[in-house]
Amino acid sequence: MVDRLANSEANSKRIGVVEVCFGTAGQPLVIPGRVLIGEGVLTKLCRKRPKARQFFLFNDILVYGNIIIQKKKYNKQHIIPLESVTIDTVEDEGDLRNGWLIKTPTKSFAVYAATATEKSEWMSHISKCVSDLLEKSGKSPTGDHAAVWVPDSEATVCMRCQKTKFTPVSRRHHCRKCGFVVCGPCSEKKFLLPSQSSKPVRVCEFCYKQLFSGATLPSHSDSYSHPEISSSNISDDDDDDDSSD
C-alpha cells in the first residue's frame, strides 16, 4: 500500500498541502518515496501544561507543530526520524487518558488521543512504520532515549534535595538526563550528552556523579506517571518545545 502511494500524484498533493500550512519557516516535506500515512490533533504533555498539537505521520518521519488555524496554518515545526523512535503506552490517570510515550535519543514526551481507538490506531501505524524502516535498513531498534521531562506543575519542591521550594525567585530547572524538576544548587553541573546536544547540558548532582563514574542510570521515562491535572494547572503562558530550563 505504502509503496503504491509513494509516487502518486494524490500523495504528493497531500504532502504539499502540509508544507504550505507550515509556511516558509517549515522544512520541505515532499521527497521521493515519502508517504503521508495519517494526521490528527493530539494533546502533548508540555513543560507548563498539556497542549493541543497537530501531528502528521509519514512513512519515515513524524512531524508536529503548534496549531494557529486548524487545517490552514501551523508553526514551530518539529521533525522526528521514525528510525530512532520507540513508543510505550501510558496508563490512564485522572483527566489524562489514552496516552503513550514517544521516545527518541534527543527528545521524549507523552501524547494523548481523544479515544482509546484513536490511540490504538496511532500506536499501530507508528510501530508498523518503524518496523518497516528498520527492516529495510537492516538497523537495530535504538536502545537509548532521552528522559521525559516531569511537568513543572508536578513539583512544588526540588525532586532531589526535597527541601528547596520553588518560587518566582527560586526557579525550576530540568535535569537533561533524568528529567526531574530540580533547584539551581542541585543542578549546577553540566555534562556532554551527545545525543541531545553538541554542548554540555544541565544535569542534576545525582546524575552527574553517576555519569562521571560511568555507572548505568535508570531511565525515568521507562515508567512515566503523573498526578491528575486539573484546570488550575492551565495557563496561557507560552512554553516549551525548546531546551529552556
Side-chain angles (χ1 to χ4, degrees):
M1 178 66 172
V2 171
D3 291 338
R4 188 167 73 250
L5 291 172
N7 297 309
S8 72
E9 183 178 353
N11 175 67
S12 296
K13 285 183 177 179
R14 290 178 66 204
I15 299 177
V17 170
V18 177
E19 262 192 28
V20 171
C21 287
F22 277 105
T24 56
Q27 296 295 314
L29 297 173
V30 179
I31 64 170
R34 176 168 289 164
V35 175
L36 178 57
I37 305 297
E39 61 183 271
V41 177
L42 299 173
T43 297
K44 180 176 178 288
L45 195 58
C46 300
R47 175 180 178 178
K48 299 289 185 183
R49 63 186 176 99
K51 291 187 176 183
R53 297 286 185 257
Q54 182 73 30
F55 281 77
F56 299 91
L57 176 63
F58 298 85
N59 60 330
D60 61 333
I61 58 175
L62 182 65
V63 178
Y64 70 93
N66 295 5
I67 302 169
I68 306 302
I69 303 174
Q70 183 62 48
K71 296 186 179 297
K72 291 185 178 181
K73 187 177 182 181
Y74 311 108
N75 68 2
K76 293 189 178 180
Q77 183 191 70
H78 296 262
I79 299 178
I80 302 174
L82 285 179
E83 274 191 349
S84 66
V85 167
T86 56
I87 58 175
D88 285 322
T89 190
V90 174
E91 296 298 322
D92 292 344
E93 192 170 345
D95 292 335
L96 295 177
R97 308 178 66 82
N98 311 313
W100 68 97
L101 296 178
I102 296 174
K103 302 187 294 186
T104 79
T106 58
K107 185 180 182 69
S108 300
F109 53 90
V111 293
Y112 296 83
T115 67
T117 299
E118 188 178 340
K119 169 187 174 178
S120 177
E121 290 176 349
W122 270 101
M123 293 189 71
S124 176
H125 287 308
I126 292 173
S127 295
K128 180 66 165 59
C129 289
V130 173
S131 176
D132 289 347
L133 281 172
L134 293 176
E135 184 178 351
K136 288 180 180 180
S137 67
K139 296 180 180 179
S140 300
T142 181
D144 187 32
H145 55 267
V148 176
W149 282 21
V150 175
D152 285 2
S153 60
E154 295 186 17
T156 57
V157 299
C158 175
M159 297 177 70
R160 286 302 182 193
C161 69
Q162 300 290 318
K163 295 178 181 179
T164 302
K165 292 184 178 180
F166 296 121
T167 68
V169 176
S170 180
R171 294 181 54 223
R172 292 171 171 84
H173 302 280
H174 278 83
C175 172
R176 301 307 195 274
K177 184 59 182 177
C178 67
F180 279 16
V181 183
V182 291
C183 63
C186 285
S187 59
E188 293 178 337
K189 300 287 199 304
K190 291 189 175 184
F191 199 90
L192 181 63
L193 301 175
S195 63
Q196 295 189 37
S197 175
S198 59
K199 299 178 180 180
V201 293
R202 182 188 294 270
V203 294
C204 67
E205 187 69 26
F206 174 81
C207 287
Y208 179 81
K209 290 178 180 178
Q210 298 295 313
L211 288 164
F212 195 77
S213 67
T216 301
L217 287 166
S219 174
H220 165 68
S221 60
D222 284 335
S223 56
Y224 183 74
S225 62
H226 48 76
E228 180 174 348
I229 293 183
S230 64
S231 58
S232 63
N233 298 122
I234 305 303
S235 63
D236 292 327
D237 55 345
D238 186 29
D239 75 64
D240 117 275
D241 292 342
D242 58 24
S243 58
S244 60
D245 286 340

